[in-house]
Amino acid sequence: MIEAGTGPGSITIDMATAIGAEGRIISYEQKQDTQNLARKNLERVGLASHVDFKLRDIKEGFDETDADAFFLDVQNPFDYIPQVRASIKTGGFFGTILPTFNQVEKTLHALKKNNFAFIEVCEIILRHYKSDPARIRPTDRMVAHTGYLMFARKIEPSTDPRGKELTNEVSGDG
């Protein structure tokens, strides 16, 4: 599994926990101090041995070409979809997290342009509730944050009629 945009390592920790002892994460970050923080955080929870850290601007692409999955946590994921496509195998999974709908729209266009299919978008919202057992309901004043998760699969154009139909759907020709 590859991730880009390591940040402080919170998503890296979640992924390292999920893949277990047999799994491996390759994590790209462009800022040395941020990568150092992530490494320290993974060491604190005993998961640093599951992660290979790479320091690089992801515009340059990735060393890997046959990854099972890729998680992109950067401000402008739509700019890096061709690099992501080159790094994962056909049928490989892609995921990203985005704070604004504008980013969702741009990323959707980039995914379709680069032959990704089975695209899903879901909103994540945190909503607090009153804790009175007689009146369980949302709080009167909602202070919330929303975000969007996107998932997709890398596909290859095919001569199979079903593959052609899916490729046309993805490219907008059908």
Side-chain angles (χ1 to χ4, degrees):
M1 161 149 228
I2 303 171
E3 77 161 337
T6 313
S10 56
I11 292 176
T12 314
I13 289 170
D14 289 339
M15 290 188 295
T17 301
I19 62 172
E22 301 300 314
R24 194 106 205 110
I25 298 171
I26 300 157
S27 186
Y28 285 82
E29 175 60 51
Q30 69 177 2
K31 298 175 186 169
Q32 182 71 63
D33 58 333
T34 303
Q35 187 181 67
N36 291 342
L37 176 60
R39 188 184 315 270
K40 187 182 289 186
N41 287 335
L42 274 116
E43 287 169 356
R44 281 187 186 132
V45 295
L47 294 170
S49 64
H50 299 281
V51 181
D52 293 329
F53 291 96
K54 295 190 176 187
L55 193 63
R56 179 184 301 163
D57 183 338
I58 62 173
K59 279 189 283 189
E60 300 169 19
F62 305 95
D63 297 329
E64 300 72 28
T65 58
D66 201 28
D68 294 317
F70 197 114
F71 194 82
L72 190 56
D73 187 6
V74 296
Q75 188 174 7
N76 51 335
F78 40 87
D79 288 336
Y80 305 108
I81 299 303
Q83 292 92 327
V84 168
R85 180 174 175 74
S87 71
I88 59 176
K89 65 184 178 184
T90 300
F93 294 89
F94 167 77
T96 189
I97 186 165
L98 304 160
T100 71
F101 200 78
N102 308 70
Q103 293 165 307
V104 170
E105 182 180 22
K106 289 178 182 179
T107 305
L108 280 170
H109 286 296
L111 287 169
K112 289 182 179 269
K113 181 180 175 185
N114 286 278
N115 285 328
F116 280 83
F118 310 107
I119 300 170
E120 295 181 32
V121 178
C122 61
E123 182 178 17
I124 305 165
I125 190 164
L126 177 64
R127 184 172 165 180
H128 292 274
Y129 278 74
K130 292 183 177 186
S131 57
D132 180 351
R135 296 185 324 122
I136 299 174
R137 61 182 298 271
T139 56
D140 295 326
R141 183 168 174 250
M142 188 163 107
V143 177
H145 177 70
T146 189
Y148 303 91
L149 285 171
M150 292 183 69
F151 302 99
R153 305 275 304 266
K154 176 183 173 180
I155 62 167
E156 291 296 337
S158 165
T159 56
D160 181 298
R162 295 168 299 174
K164 281 185 176 181
E165 184 178 317
L166 183 57
T167 302
N168 288 340
E169 177 186 318
V170 167
S171 65
D173 295 338

